[in-house]
Every structure is written in structure tokens, then in C-alpha cells.
Amino acid sequence: VILACAAILATGVVRAEEPELVNINTASVQELQVLPRIGPVVAQRIVDYREKNGAFEGTAELMNVNGIGVTTFSGLTHLITVGEGQER
């Protein structure tokens, strides 16, 4: 522990774990609600959009969902994915 603290003091870098990404193509209404500014109503809209239009091809497509504008999307980009091998 002392060595770890010394390394942090020497480098000034604290390494935080990467948050687990939420896959907007597979997440349930409940899972979507862990995202900031996504409550039950918007989470349901995401699921409804996905069911009507098929899988999201890219994360930016999330802005097509009513209630998700540029500001909300900007706060989500580092927390969401559309799946492995697809645009983050």
C-alpha cells in the first residue's frame, strides 16, 4: 500500500477502473436506468425505438430517441456501446 501511495505521489496519476459499458442494443429498461439522466420513461423509449427500428448501428443513433439530445448524449458516450465490433 505504501509503495502504491508513493507511486501515485511520484506520478500524480491515479488509475480508476473503466466503467462497464451498457450495451444499448441488449440492455433492459432497468439496466438503461443506471445511466445518468436516463429514467424509466426515457429507458422505455430506448427499448421501444430498438424494437421498432432494429439494433442501433452506432451510439449516435441514440439521439433519435425522444428525450435524448446532444447534452444528454455527450454525458453517455463513455458509458455506452452498441456491441462488440461495432462503433462505440
Side-chain angles (χ1 to χ4, degrees), residues 21-25 59 79-84 86-88:
L21 297 177
V22 174
N23 185 330
I24 60 173
N25 280 326
T59 57
L79 300 172
I80 59 175
T81 184
V82 291
E84 195 173 317
Q86 296 179 342
E87 178 192 333
R88 183 171 170 191

Side-chain angles (χ1 to χ4, degrees), residues 18-37:
E18 290 286 323
E20 187 170 328
L21 297 177
V22 174
N23 185 330
I24 60 173
N25 280 326
T26 60
S28 67
V29 170
Q30 292 77 20
E31 292 167 330
L32 290 165
Q33 289 180 69
V34 303
L35 297 168
R37 302 186 69 170

Side-chain angles (χ1 to χ4, degrees), residues 44-65:
Q44 185 61 58
R45 288 180 191 155
I46 294 169
V47 171
D48 292 344
Y49 179 92
R50 186 176 68 207
E51 289 174 353
K52 180 180 178 186
N53 299 288
F56 291 94
E57 292 183 25
T59 57
E61 190 179 346
L62 191 59
M63 287 189 287
N64 292 338
V65 175

